[in-house]
Amino acid sequence: PERRAIGGDRIDLGLPATQNALIDVAIASGKPVIVVLVCGSAILVEGWHDRVGAILQTFYSGMEGGTALAKLLFGDVSPGGKLPFTVAKRAEDYPFFDRDADAITYDLWHGYTKCDRDTVEPRYGFGHGLSYTSFAYRALKARVANGAIEASVAVTNTGTCTAGEVVQLYIGPPGRDVERQAKLLKAFERVILLPGETRVVRLSLTLDTLRWRDAATHSWKLESGTYRVMAGGSSVALIETSVTV
């Protein structure tokens, strides 16, 4: 009998063989190919990602999804979404998964935190997302004031069309008191920029959000030292500065 998928409805992180074959046939036609993924989680794209013009991750977009897709493909609207997960190059780059397990513990190490710890380069990092323009980041500044880290960064639309960008702020703790993630997303803001427009985006987070839980004392502690402050358009495209807490 067929094995029941207790932990999900997929047994492979790639597309079914028939769909991969369809992509191959479309590419062989010599015409431009855009792959539209309709799914709820990450899909491995190895074997064809570099042979197509674009990949759109649409999730489950509902009854107006077709209209939205047409507006994106014909350029009426610029794509502006960002991946809420990491797309790996290999299934082995994700945490171990047992479909038959009643419970499993991943602790801190999943998604981009696992890639950082294992020094694994993802295919598309957490927060990745392209549009019909490009953005440049510069002049990242950060300070500690009023019980918070306050950061600012200049973002410029360096392309030829109006589009939105999600500016992401990551913090990397000293990690001396206890092993911690190399960085974590702590704030973000969407901005709409005209071609050539530059805007200074200001983001802040309270120091309390940087605390870690000490299981021995059942208390939350704020580690002192140098914190990395990073800003950019994804978890793998960042500029960096630092502050002392």
Side-chain angles (χ1 to χ4, degrees):
E2 184 178 353
R3 187 182 185 190
R4 186 165 59 97
I6 298 175
D9 57 2
R10 297 167 60 190
I11 59 174
D12 190 288
L13 294 182
L15 292 174
T18 53
Q19 295 183 20
N20 284 322
L22 176 61
I23 293 173
D24 288 338
V25 170
I27 293 171
S29 72
K31 297 180 179 180
V33 175
I34 295 174
V35 175
V36 179
L37 299 176
V38 181
C39 55
S41 56
I43 295 287
L44 296 184
V45 298
E46 302 308 303
W48 54 265
H49 72 90
D50 55 349
R51 298 189 292 136
V52 300
I55 305 170
L56 283 173
Q57 168 72 272
T58 64
F59 297 94
Y60 300 118
S61 51
M63 63 185 297
E64 285 299 318
T67 300
L69 177 60
K71 290 182 177 180
L72 291 170
L73 293 178
F74 285 99
D76 297 337
V77 180
S78 180
K82 297 286 188 171
L83 287 177
F85 45 66
T86 298
V87 178
K89 295 180 179 180
R90 309 178 308 153
E92 294 80 6
D93 295 336
Y94 288 111
F96 171 75
F97 180 60
D98 181 359
R99 294 165 55 242
D100 298 319
D102 294 326
I104 194 165
T105 300
Y106 293 128
D107 199 26
L108 305 177
W109 313 118
H110 50 83
Y112 66 92
T113 64
K114 185 177 187 300
C115 288
D116 286 345
R117 186 196 66 174
D118 298 343
T119 62
V120 169
E121 181 183 6
R123 176 57 61 201
Y124 303 114
F126 175 88
H128 171 83
L130 302 181
S131 69
Y132 291 137
T133 190
S134 54
F135 299 93
Y137 287 74
R138 62 178 178 83
L140 174 61
K141 300 177 182 179
R143 66 171 187 165
V144 177
N146 304 315
I149 292 179
E150 300 176 348
S152 64
V153 63
V155 185
T156 302
N157 181 340
T158 56
T160 59
C161 70
T162 299
E165 169 72 335
V166 179
V167 181
Q168 302 163 42
L169 183 70
Y170 295 79
I171 302 295
R176 294 192 313 269
D177 295 349
V178 65
E179 185 181 22
R180 301 175 69 181
Q181 302 96 329
K183 64 176 178 286
L184 283 176
L185 177 68
K186 288 295 184 178
F188 61 90
E189 182 175 334
R190 176 178 290 277
V191 293
I192 307 297
L193 298 177
L194 299 173
E197 181 182 3
T198 297
R199 187 177 305 176
V200 176
V201 178
R202 305 184 187 280
L203 299 163
S204 67
L205 60 141
T206 64
L207 295 180
D208 280 343
T209 65
L210 303 177
R211 295 182 182 274
W212 62 278
R213 186 177 184 277
D214 187 338
T217 61
H218 302 288
S219 62
W220 291 88
K221 296 183 176 180
L222 179 63
E223 186 177 18
S224 61
T226 300
Y227 284 73
R228 300 164 63 211
V229 179
M230 296 154 275
S234 80
S235 63
V236 296
L238 300 166
I239 60 175
E240 181 175 337
T241 186
S242 63
V243 296
T244 300
V245 174

